[in-house]
Amino acid sequence: MGKLVRLELFNFKSYKGHHTLLFGDSFFTSIIGPNGSGKSNSMDAISFVLGIKSSHLRSSHLRDLVYRGRVLRTSIINGDGSASAPAANGQANGDGEQILDDDDGAGTQNGTQRGRSERHDPKSAWVMAVYEDDAGDEHHWKRTITSQGVSEYRINNRVVSAQNYNDALEAENILIKARNFLVFQGDVEAIASQSPKDLTRLIEQISGSLEYKAEYERLKEAAEQAAEHQNYNLNRRRGINSEIKQYQEQKREADNYAKKADDRDQALVTHVLWKLFHFQRVVEESGAEIAKHQQELKEFRRGIERYDQALEDARREQAKVGRDVGKAERAIKRMERDIEGKENELVPIDEKIDLTGRNVRTYAAKIAEIAKERDGQSSTVDRLKKDLAVVGKAQDRWEADRKKTERSEGRALSDEDLQEYSKLKEQVNTRTSANQTKLDALARRRKTDEETVESLKSKYESTQWQIQKLEEGIRETTERKDAINAQVKQSAKEMDGKKKEFNNLTSERLRTAQKQTELDEKLQEVLRTLLEADDGRRQSEREVRTRDTVAALKRIFPGVKGRVSDLCKLKLKKYGDAVSTVLGRNFDAVVVDSEKTAKECIQYLRDQRSGQATFIPLETIQVKPVNSNLKGLHQGVRLAIDTIEYDHAVERAMSYACGNAVVCDDLKLAKWVCYDKGVEAKAVTLDGTVIHKGGLMTGGRGPGQHNSRRWEDAEVENLRRLKDKLLGELSALPRGNRRGVAEETLQGELTGLEERISYAREEVKALERNLASRKKELDFARRELKDFQPKYDEKSKELRGLKDNLREFQDAVGEVEDEVFADFCRRLGYHDIREYEAQQGSRQQEAAQKQLEFTMQKSKLENQLSFENQRLQSTVDRVRRLEEKSRRDEDLIAALEAEKEAIQGELDTMTAELEQLQDQHEQQKARYAKKGERVAEQRREVQMRTKEVEGTLRAVAALEAEVQRTAAGRYALLRRCKLEEIDLPLARGSANLDRLPIDELLQGGNADEMDVDEEPGSDAARGAGVQDYGIQVDFGGLEDDLKENADEKLDEELQEKMAAIASELDKMAPNMRAIERLEGVESRLKSTEKDFEDARRQAKKARDDFQDVKEQRFELFSKAFSHISEQIGQVYKDLTKSANLPLGGQAYLDMEDSDEPYLDGIKYHAMPPLKRFRDMEHLSGGEKTMAALALLFAVHSYQPSPFFVLDEVDAALDNANVAKIANYIRDHAGPGMQFIVISLKAGLFQSSEALVGIYRDQAANSSKALTLDVSATRWRSRKGGQDLETDDEQLRKYQ
């Protein structure tokens, strides 16, 4: 389908000049604007261009649609026709049309024409719709109001007729007559409140069946007249034929009538006497046989009673022993569970003992390993001590060697030289005393600084060595920790796998044990219930025979379905009493397929003397439809037929038995239904209280309430099937439910892995603590190293400066020394005195350097010794802790062994008790088996004697049935003689036939009741013997050969003889004028035959013509109704659903006449979400609008037009419903479905794809349009057919 691209208007209503309403590519366009702006005139323009009559456009004449300005007599008309000073009291209609005010306030036609001539108003107008089809081609549909006030139609600027114009629109599926695509203001309220007849007419318009209405009514009337004429001629022909036959019959019967009358009477009396004679003989012979069988039955019954009592005693004894067996089995199971619990207690103890033993062994291995480490560390300490002693001895030996070397070199001066050296030295000291003092101070200071520098250097190097050792220790500890963590992860992974395997084994064992326990408990409960049912249930012989009789009927007659109580099942057990009360006498009614089957079953019951029964034939039973208004009446009220489950094949029987009866939760609800609501239906409470349709209330429990217990029979059968099912499931379960070897092994392995992981994690924690401690030491050492470095650099710098100062003073002192010691040095061969002193000083320096090396080596060894002593102490502490853990685990093993011995002793005691219980259980099972054999034996005895009784009963039943049939035949003959006044010979002293009752069959009891307690041969049966009413027949006139012969062939011969005579008599109705009248009637018959044939042909033609039109009209209407009915529910659900109510509401159409629906109304029902059913007039305004819109959308979906125009349909809706309408339109708008909506509510038009704004230009005295493409967010003003970008002022004006 295509779409409407734009709408062009020229001088149409409130639009002066040429204007364009652009819809573009939008499939959801909203036309908005303030009241009085003329937006509704755009709806009129669309309707006008599509050929809608002016009466639908709020105008009485076409010329009223032409634009006219609003001025008064006092206004000044400009040259262009506009008014420069409009009057203040001018009036505007709601859609923006301007009218000229007359003197009296009413704008008449003359006034309008005069005002136009005065204002130069236009006299013609046109509207053009530009439509784009599927192929992309544009079609221009234009309708013009000419100056003469008539319409002119153009298609693509070509003048066409109105019919051609309409055909072109229909080619695009735009149906003008249906108007299913235009919704004017007020249409929504009108649709919501329309009558069923109006809705039918709407669907007829949509479907097109309305076009056949006139032809349908004309042909229907013609067909009825033709049929009436045919029937008239047919009745005439039948009357003439009847006269002919009558006259012919009278002619043949007139001759022999009197002769055959006597023969008929004599043959009839002979046949009756023969049958009565043989009936009486059969009664006498059967009575003797019945008396004989009665004596046999008494003996059989006394024997059966004794065996029945013995069987009941045997059952009670068996049940008692069975209860003892059950108690013993439960005691054994409890003891087995206790033993299993004790055994399960031993498993963790054994595992703990095994695990603790492994721990002790692990501790011993670790102690041995750590002891080796301790020994190695101890040897390292001893080695360091030895190295320290060796260094001390080496230092002492070096000191001795140095002193010895100095003495051996002989470089010492003589005493005179030494004295001279001393004197010269004193001279030098005297001359350089000041410098010497400073030099000595500087030397002392240098020495002190050198010692400080050396000390700092020693500490620096020692700290570096300590840092190196700590880093190595941290690296080793980290590697050890990573290795242990990897081992922990591996163990954890292994443990997870074993845990999963262990959990699977445990879950399977526990599941099996739990399943077995549940099955045991269910089985015990089922057995207990069955035992109680066997002890408490006593089925009467009547119930047993009733069930057997119905079973026999089902076996013999395939059409028997079963009893009503057997064919239905309660949905909930609480409905038992109520359903039993509702079914009443139909509780035991037998459902059959047809009336023929019911009659055959009744005859069988009569033959077998099996009592009476009510039969419900599915084929002919009259079932009233269920009142649908009773559904959903109240949460506690439901139809009786909804409380039972049944097969679909017997639905008619169940509907007949239950009717419109309702089941209420309590009496209060039942009174509310019957008295307050006035529902004409039988209300039954859960306890069986009944309120009848007439208001009569009955209740309480009586003997007749035993039907409610009949529901339990099916439960007992279900319990027996459940018992067999549970036994099968128990036997299918695996036998072993205790812990297996694999499970115990896995438990031990899991415990070992957990301990291993625990110890590894403890070791990791210890390593982490050690690592943290070493890191702290390392940080401290690094901080010290960082502190030592600047101090060392500073002291070194000071030492270098001091040495420079020292050299300056030494040079000053040296000059003095060179001067004083010049002769002394030349004589001794030294360059200067400092060479001499340097020689002596170098030796001292070498000695000091050597001394420093010894000091540093000893310090290093002492630091190593201190570190190794700490390690040794830590190792000793670890050994001590492991020894304490080993001793603690050894104590735990001893305690576990003691606990194991105690549990083992209890286990032995419980095992002995279990064996004793098992022996007792075997003995009780043997007793139970013996009791079962005794019950089976007694049951066989009862069954054997019951078969004898049943055989005798069948024989008695057959004889009694024969007597009853004979008695019924005798009564029928006597009744016939009385009714037909047959002269039957009676014996002397016999009563007259007048004493024979005519309606005995009607007094024989209620045929709807079923009574199978009455047994053949009982006192009641004998009391109901053959009734002769005192009538004794005289058989003296009956021939002897007839008395001796009782063959049925003789009966047939006698009946054939009577039938022959009766047939002859029936034909002998003498009429002496029959021959005269026969000729006249035959001539009239020929004329009537010709008239009848003509009438029959005319009636057939009229009927065929009417049927064709009827079928066409019905097909069109049904097609439209079916489509709309299918769509209305989903459309209404889409319109009313929300996030809180995702299912939405419900709506449907209901036709009153399904054969010819267009003749009656169609009801429209809508149920908003969470609200009960109400009539349309009871809905709120918003609910009516939503329902009406759903109907409009559904109607439009049938033969939909390419666009849908809605004029302010949201006026009565709140924001929530407006949003739903907007969502629905947005979801369904698209190719083939264009929505054009006129609205004032932002909730609707804000969802549009495009907006067309209508505003009133007061200066131009005209309505104008703006178009907003929401996707492009651009405003365009349509003026003179050209697009112009609007400025801010135009935008503000539009807003």
Side-chain angles (χ1 to χ4, degrees):
M1 292 184 181
K3 62 187 297 295
L4 194 60
V5 177
R6 66 181 181 271
L7 188 71
E8 297 184 12
L9 302 87
F10 180 76
N11 292 332
F12 183 81
K13 296 194 83 170
S14 63
Y15 294 85
K16 179 182 179 181
H18 183 266
H19 298 271
T20 301
L21 275 65
L22 181 63
F23 305 125
D25 296 329
S26 170
F27 292 99
F28 181 9
T29 303
S30 293
I31 301 176
I32 61 177
N35 288 327
S37 61
K39 58 182 180 298
S40 293
N41 290 339
S42 61
M43 175 72 170
D44 294 340
I46 295 174
S47 304
F48 171 78
V49 76
L50 295 179
I52 302 299
K53 294 181 179 179
S54 60
S55 59
H56 296 290
L57 305 181
R58 301 178 296 170
S59 299
S60 57
H61 301 89
L62 284 177
R63 57 178 170 268
D64 294 334
L65 301 177
V66 181
Y67 170 83
R68 54 185 181 272
R70 185 186 69 176
V71 295
L72 292 179
R73 308 256 180 228
T74 58
S75 301
I76 300 174
I77 307 301
N78 298 326
D80 58 354
S82 62
S84 59
N89 62 346
Q91 301 295 323
N93 62 3
D95 58 11
E97 294 183 78
Q98 308 300 320
I99 64 174
L100 178 68
D101 291 342
D102 268 343
D103 294 337
D104 56 357
T108 62
Q109 179 178 351
N110 294 332
T112 301
Q113 296 295 336
R114 184 168 59 253
R116 285 185 177 177
S117 62
E118 293 174 357
R119 297 191 311 271
H120 304 288
D121 282 347
K123 297 182 180 180
S124 65
W126 56 263
V127 178
M128 183 173 67
V130 179
Y131 176 84
E132 180 179 325
D133 58 16
D134 293 336
D137 298 330
E138 286 189 353
H139 301 271
H140 295 252
W141 298 328
K142 184 176 181 181
R143 182 181 179 186
T144 304
I145 303 174
T146 63
S147 57
Q148 291 79 21
V150 295
S151 293
E152 180 185 80
Y153 297 91
R154 292 175 179 267
I155 298 178
N156 295 328
N157 207 23
R158 181 172 55 86
V159 178
V160 296
S161 65
Q163 182 61 39
N164 294 335
Y165 192 87
N166 187 43
D167 293 341
L169 294 176
E170 289 183 354
E172 295 298 330
N173 214 27
I174 302 174
L175 307 179
I176 303 303
K177 295 180 180 179
R179 291 197 300 126
N180 61 331
F181 57 93
L182 298 175
V183 182
F184 293 92
Q185 287 187 14
D187 280 0
V188 174
E189 291 79 6
I191 290 173
S193 59
Q194 65 182 346
S195 64
K197 286 281 189 180
D198 295 335
L199 182 56
T200 303
R201 181 174 180 83
L202 174 62
I203 295 178
E204 278 206 278
Q205 290 176 344
I206 299 300
S207 64
S209 63
L210 188 62
E211 299 178 358
Y212 294 91
K213 181 178 179 181
E215 185 71 11
Y216 171 90
E217 293 175 352
R218 183 185 65 79
L219 292 176
K220 182 178 181 181
E221 183 179 1
E224 290 174 352
Q225 292 177 355
E228 184 178 357
H229 185 60
Q230 178 188 4
N231 291 334
Y232 169 76
N233 287 288
L234 177 63
N235 292 332
R236 285 181 58 201
R237 189 185 70 170
R238 288 177 178 175
I240 294 173
N241 285 331
S242 176
E243 290 180 13
I244 292 174
K245 290 181 180 179
Q246 181 179 1
Y247 291 142
Q248 291 175 350
E249 189 74 19
Q250 290 175 357
K251 180 179 179 299
R252 288 192 299 269
E253 294 175 353
D255 298 331
N256 299 323
Y257 182 83
K259 180 180 178 182
K260 296 293 182 180
D262 295 337
D263 295 340
R264 178 198 60 189
D265 294 340
Q266 185 60 37
L268 180 60
V269 170
T270 301
H271 180 258
V272 169
L273 287 176
W274 176 79
K275 293 193 72 173
L276 288 174
F277 177 80
H278 290 289
F279 281 158
Q280 183 172 344
R281 188 171 66 179
V282 169
V283 169
E284 293 173 354
E285 292 175 355
S286 298
E289 291 292 330
I290 289 173
K292 177 181 177 182
H293 288 307
Q294 290 294 341
Q295 295 299 325
E296 295 177 357
L297 279 175
K298 290 180 180 179
E299 297 297 329
F300 288 152
R301 290 183 184 278
R302 283 193 290 269
I304 288 176
E305 290 176 357
R306 290 195 301 271
Y307 283 105
D308 280 339
Q309 185 61 38
L311 177 60
E312 289 298 324
D313 294 340
R315 284 179 175 173
R316 282 194 292 270
E317 292 176 1
Q318 184 189 21
K320 182 178 179 182
V321 175
R323 286 192 291 271
D324 294 338
V325 171
K327 291 178 180 178
E329 289 177 349
R330 290 191 291 273
I332 289 173
K333 290 184 180 297
R334 285 195 299 271
M335 185 59 68
E336 287 178 347
R337 287 196 293 269
D338 294 340
I339 290 174
E340 184 179 357
K342 290 296 180 182
E343 291 177 348
N344 291 338
E345 290 178 6
L346 284 176
V347 172
I349 292 176
D350 291 337
E351 292 172 353
K352 288 181 180 179
I353 291 173
D354 182 59
L355 178 61
T356 308
R358 289 199 299 269
N359 290 341
V360 170
R361 292 189 293 274
T362 302
Y363 291 149
K366 286 186 177 181
I367 289 172
E369 182 181 353
I370 297 173
K372 292 180 181 179
E373 185 179 351
R374 179 193 61 190
D375 295 341
Q377 293 173 356
S378 178
S379 62
T380 302
V381 170
D382 293 340
R383 180 177 56 76
L384 290 173
K385 287 181 179 179
K386 291 178 181 179
D387 292 343
L388 188 59
V390 169
V391 172
K393 290 179 181 180
Q395 184 177 5
D396 295 339
R397 189 165 52 250
W398 175 79
E399 288 289 343
D401 292 342
R402 183 177 63 81
K403 292 179 180 179
K404 184 178 179 181
T405 302
E406 288 180 354
R407 288 194 298 269
S408 62
E409 286 180 353
R411 295 298 299 271
L413 299 176
S414 63
D415 294 337
E416 293 80 3
D417 293 335
L418 288 175
Q419 291 177 358
E420 184 180 2
Y421 175 76
S422 299
K423 291 178 181 181
L424 294 175
K425 194 69 173 175
E426 289 178 359
Q427 292 179 7
V428 172
N429 291 336
T430 301
R431 294 176 61 180
T432 60
S433 59
N435 289 334
Q436 192 67 42
T437 301
K438 292 182 180 180
L439 187 61
D440 291 340
L442 289 174
R444 288 193 299 271
R445 184 178 173 187
R446 183 188 68 180
K447 183 177 181 181
T448 302
D449 290 346
E450 286 178 349
E451 290 178 356
T452 301
V453 170
E454 290 297 332
S455 176
L456 289 173
K457 183 178 180 182
S458 176
K459 289 182 179 179
Y460 182 78
E461 292 177 352
S462 175
T463 303
Q464 282 184 334
W465 178 83
Q466 185 179 1
I467 288 173
Q468 182 179 358
K469 284 294 184 181
L470 288 172
E471 288 176 349
E472 292 178 358
I474 288 173
R475 184 172 62 256
E476 293 175 357
T477 304
T478 303
E479 292 175 356
R480 174 65 177 168
K481 187 185 75 171
D482 293 340
I484 294 174
N485 284 331
Q487 183 180 359
V488 168
K489 290 182 180 178
Q490 182 64 28
S491 300
K493 184 177 180 182
E494 184 179 354
M495 186 172 67
D496 290 340
K498 292 187 179 297
K499 272 186 178 179
K500 186 175 181 181
E501 185 178 356
F502 177 76
N503 290 335
N504 291 336
L505 291 175
T506 305
S507 299
E508 183 64 24
R509 177 176 60 82
L510 293 178
R511 188 192 65 79
T512 303
Q514 183 179 3
K515 182 67 174 178
Q516 184 174 2
T517 303
E518 292 176 357
L519 292 176
D520 287 338
E521 292 176 354
K522 290 181 181 179
L523 183 59
Q524 293 298 328
E525 181 66 21
V526 170
L527 292 175
R528 182 184 62 78
T529 306
L530 285 175
L531 192 60
E532 292 176 356
D534 290 337
D535 289 343
R537 288 178 68 250
R538 293 291 185 271
Q539 292 185 346
S540 66
E541 189 173 351
R542 174 181 176 179
E543 292 176 352
V544 174
R545 291 191 57 197
T546 301
R547 187 170 60 251
D548 295 342
T549 300
V550 174
L553 290 175
K554 292 174 68 176
R555 186 173 58 255
I556 296 172
F557 304 104
V560 178
K561 307 296 184 182
R563 290 186 296 177
V564 171
S565 58
D566 298 331
L567 294 174
C568 63
K569 179 183 177 183
L570 295 173
K571 291 184 177 179
L572 294 176
K573 191 174 182 180
K574 66 178 182 178
Y575 297 139
D577 291 341
V579 175
S580 300
T581 304
V582 169
L583 295 178
R585 62 186 181 89
N586 291 320
F587 192 89
D588 285 322
V590 181
V591 180
V592 295
D593 58 351
S594 62
E595 186 177 357
K596 178 182 179 182
T597 305
K599 291 179 179 180
E600 293 175 351
C601 292
I602 293 172
Q603 186 61 39
Y604 173 81
L605 293 178
R606 287 176 178 174
D607 294 343
Q608 298 297 323
R609 291 293 297 158
S610 297
Q612 298 173 340
T614 300
F615 294 91
I616 302 178
L618 296 173
E619 185 179 42
T620 57
I621 194 71
Q622 298 296 325
V623 179
K624 295 181 179 180
V626 177
N627 188 357
S628 60
N629 293 330
L630 297 178
K631 294 185 178 180
L633 190 62
H634 190 276
Q635 186 176 2
V637 179
R638 76 283 302 164
L639 286 169
I641 197 170
D642 293 338
T643 61
I644 57 176
E645 297 176 351
Y646 50 84
D647 188 76
H648 182 70
V650 295
E651 182 178 3
R652 286 174 55 81
M654 297 303 166
S655 300
Y656 171 79
C658 295
N660 280 328
V662 294
V663 176
C664 306
D665 289 347
D666 50 34
L667 184 59
K668 182 179 179 181
L669 272 178
K671 290 181 179 179
W672 176 78
V673 170
C674 294
Y675 300 151
D676 296 344
K677 299 297 289 184
V679 176
E680 294 185 358
K682 182 166 67 174
V684 184
T685 63
L686 296 179
D687 59 359
T689 303
V690 185
I691 300 180
H692 299 275
K693 292 183 180 179
L696 179 64
M697 184 187 302
T698 58
R701 289 181 177 271
Q705 288 286 343
H706 69 277
N707 284 341
S708 61
R709 222 191 71 188
R710 297 274 298 281
W711 299 110
E712 300 176 1
D713 296 342
E715 296 180 4
V716 172
E717 292 297 326
N718 292 335
L719 286 174
R720 289 196 178 97
R721 288 193 291 269
L722 180 59
K723 180 192 72 174
D724 298 336
K725 180 182 177 183
L726 292 175
L727 289 174
E729 291 180 357
L730 275 174
S731 61
L733 288 176
R735 294 296 181 187
N737 59 350
R738 297 186 180 181
R739 290 166 61 94
V741 178
E743 189 175 351
E744 294 177 356
T745 303
L746 284 174
Q747 179 67 31
E749 292 177 354
L750 283 173
T751 306
L753 287 173
E754 288 175 356
E755 290 293 336
R756 188 190 307 169
I757 292 173
S758 176
Y759 291 141
R761 287 175 177 169
E762 290 180 1
E763 186 174 358
V764 168
K765 291 180 181 178
L767 290 173
E768 288 176 350
R769 289 193 295 270
N770 187 8
L771 190 61
S773 176
R774 291 190 177 186
K775 286 182 178 180
K776 289 180 181 179
E777 292 179 7
L778 180 61
D779 293 339
F780 179 74
R782 286 175 176 170
R783 287 196 300 271
E784 284 187 343
L785 185 63
K786 188 176 180 181
D787 294 338
F788 288 154
Q789 184 69 38
K791 292 180 181 179
Y792 174 74
D793 295 339
E794 183 180 358
K795 289 296 182 182
S796 298
K797 183 177 180 181
E798 290 178 358
L799 182 60
R800 289 192 297 271
L802 184 61
K803 287 181 178 180
D804 293 339
N805 292 334
L806 187 61
R807 279 194 296 272
E808 292 177 359
F809 285 104
Q810 285 175 350
D811 292 341
V813 173
E815 292 177 358
V816 175
E817 286 178 344
D818 291 341
E819 182 182 352
V820 174
F821 285 100
D823 295 335
F824 180 80
C825 292
R826 285 192 297 270
R827 183 172 54 85
L828 292 177
Y830 291 100
H831 182 268
D832 53 28
I833 194 63
R834 288 183 297 280
E835 182 180 356
Y836 168 74
E837 290 176 350
Q839 183 180 4
Q840 296 297 324
S842 62
R843 289 196 181 103
Q844 291 178 358
Q845 187 177 2
E846 290 177 359
Q849 183 66 31
K850 193 68 174 177
Q851 189 71 28
L852 181 60
E853 291 178 358
F854 279 117
T855 301
M856 290 180 63
Q857 190 173 5
K858 287 173 68 176
S859 176
K860 183 178 180 180
L861 290 173
E862 287 173 355
N863 288 334
Q864 289 183 350
L865 181 60
S866 176
F867 176 73
E868 293 297 335
N869 282 330
Q870 291 178 358
R871 287 183 61 193
L872 178 60
Q873 185 62 37
S874 175
T875 304
V876 171
D877 292 340
R878 287 173 61 194
V879 171
R880 186 179 68 255
R881 287 195 297 270
L882 288 174
E883 289 175 349
E884 290 176 357
K885 288 183 179 180
S886 178
R887 286 194 298 272
R888 186 171 63 250
D889 286 351
E890 289 174 354
D891 296 339
L892 178 60
I893 289 174
L896 290 174
E897 290 290 349
E899 185 180 357
K900 179 179 178 182
E901 291 178 0
I903 294 176
Q904 189 64 45
E906 294 178 2
L907 188 60
D908 295 339
T909 303
M910 295 172 69
T911 303
E913 294 178 359
L914 178 62
E915 292 177 354
Q916 185 178 359
L917 288 174
Q918 288 175 345
D919 294 339
Q920 294 176 1
H921 179 252
E922 292 297 331
Q923 295 175 2
Q924 291 173 352
K925 285 178 66 177
R927 290 178 55 202
Y928 185 77
K930 291 181 180 179
K931 296 298 182 181
E933 293 176 358
R934 183 166 178 263
V935 170
E937 182 180 356
Q938 294 297 329
R939 186 181 290 110
R940 286 193 295 271
E941 291 292 338
V942 171
Q943 291 175 352
M944 181 177 64
R945 283 156 179 77
T946 302
K947 289 180 181 178
E948 296 177 354
V949 172
E950 290 177 352
T952 305
L953 288 174
R954 284 194 293 271
V956 171
L959 291 172
E960 289 183 345
E962 183 67 22
V963 171
Q964 290 297 326
R965 284 197 299 271
T966 304
R970 182 178 184 274
Y971 170 78
L973 286 175
L974 294 176
R975 183 172 179 273
R976 179 185 175 190
C977 292
K978 178 179 179 180
L979 294 176
E980 296 179 5
E981 297 181 356
I982 298 174
D983 188 11
L984 187 67
L986 301 177
R988 182 175 296 179
S990 171
N992 197 287
L993 290 178
D994 294 337
R995 293 185 56 185
L996 183 70
I998 301 300
D999 56 350
E1000 181 188 5
L1001 292 178
L1002 300 178
Q1003 300 173 356
N1006 188 356
D1008 291 336
E1009 297 177 354
M1010 183 173 185
D1011 184 7
V1012 294
D1013 281 341
E1014 183 181 293
E1015 300 175 2
S1018 63
D1019 294 339
R1022 287 194 298 271
V1026 178
Q1027 177 65 267
D1028 58 5
Y1029 305 102
I1031 298 174
Q1032 300 294 329
V1033 181
D1034 182 10
F1035 299 105
L1038 187 62
E1039 299 178 359
D1040 293 338
D1041 56 348
L1042 295 178
K1043 292 180 180 180
E1044 297 297 331
N1045 189 359
D1047 193 358
E1048 293 182 357
K1049 292 183 178 181
L1050 181 59
D1051 183 24
E1052 293 176 358
E1053 292 176 359
L1054 294 174
Q1055 288 183 357
E1056 290 176 357
K1057 182 178 179 181
M1058 289 188 302
I1061 297 174
S1063 177
E1064 293 177 1
L1065 287 175
D1066 291 338
K1067 298 175 182 178
M1068 296 178 181
N1071 186 357
M1072 303 308 297
R1073 302 181 60 184
I1075 299 175
E1076 296 178 1
R1077 297 179 178 178
L1078 183 60
E1079 294 177 357
V1081 172
E1082 288 177 349
S1083 63
R1084 282 192 294 118
L1085 178 62
K1086 294 179 180 179
S1087 175
T1088 304
E1089 285 283 352
K1090 182 178 181 299
D1091 295 338
F1092 172 75
E1093 288 297 326
D1094 294 337
R1096 185 178 62 82
R1097 284 192 297 272
Q1098 294 176 0
K1100 183 177 183 302
K1101 183 179 183 302
R1103 186 168 58 252
D1104 292 341
D1105 295 340
F1106 170 73
Q1107 191 64 28
D1108 293 339
V1109 174
K1110 176 182 176 183
E1111 289 176 358
Q1112 292 177 2
R1113 187 180 184 186
F1114 179 82
E1115 181 179 0
L1116 291 173
F1117 186 92
S1118 298
K1119 183 178 178 181
F1121 176 83
S1122 299
H1123 176 83
I1124 296 171
S1125 181
E1126 292 173 357
Q1127 294 293 323
I1128 188 69
Q1130 185 61 40
V1131 172
Y1132 187 74
K1133 183 180 296 183
D1134 293 341
L1135 285 175
T1136 56
K1137 68 181 180 180
S1138 61
N1140 296 327
L1141 301 169
L1143 297 180
Q1146 297 181 7
Y1148 61 94
L1149 298 176
D1150 186 15
M1151 64 171 61
E1152 296 177 355
D1153 186 358
S1154 59
D1155 294 331
E1156 292 184 275
Y1158 37 81
L1159 298 182
D1160 286 316
I1162 293 178
K1163 292 183 178 180
Y1164 176 36
H1165 303 287
M1167 289 182 286
L1170 299 181
K1171 291 190 178 181
R1172 56 179 291 181
F1173 172 80
R1174 289 185 294 181
D1175 291 333
M1176 187 66 70
E1177 58 267 23
H1178 296 156
L1179 297 179
S1180 65
E1183 292 172 347
K1184 286 182 180 179
T1185 300
M1186 297 298 283
L1189 286 175
L1191 179 59
L1192 286 173
F1193 290 141
V1195 168
H1196 181 263
S1197 66
Y1198 180 75
Q1199 294 184 352
S1201 64
F1203 49 85
F1204 200 11
V1205 186
L1206 305 171
D1207 187 4
E1208 294 189 13
V1209 297
D1210 54 353
L1213 298 180
D1214 56 12
N1215 293 334
N1217 286 328
V1218 169
K1220 294 176 182 178
I1221 294 294
N1223 292 335
Y1224 180 88
I1225 295 177
R1226 185 177 62 251
D1227 293 340
H1228 291 77
M1233 189 62 176
Q1234 180 186 13
F1235 285 89
I1236 300 173
V1237 181
I1238 300 174
S1239 175
L1240 283 173
K1241 295 192 176 182
L1244 181 58
F1245 65 73
Q1246 68 183 3
S1247 301
S1248 304
E1249 297 176 4
L1251 294 175
V1252 175
I1254 307 298
Y1255 67 98
R1256 184 72 179 173
D1257 191 343
Q1258 298 296 339
N1261 196 24
S1262 171
S1263 297
K1264 293 188 178 181
L1266 297 172
T1267 299
L1268 171 63
D1269 185 359
V1270 178
S1271 60
T1273 64
R1274 298 184 62 192
W1275 291 88
R1276 293 185 298 274
S1277 176
R1278 307 293 293 176
K1279 296 182 178 179
Q1282 297 179 354
D1283 295 342
L1284 298 175
E1285 294 291 330
T1286 63
D1287 55 11
D1288 295 340
E1289 182 180 357
Q1290 289 173 320
L1291 179 59
R1292 285 193 301 271
K1293 183 188 297 183
Y1294 168 74
Q1295 293 174 340

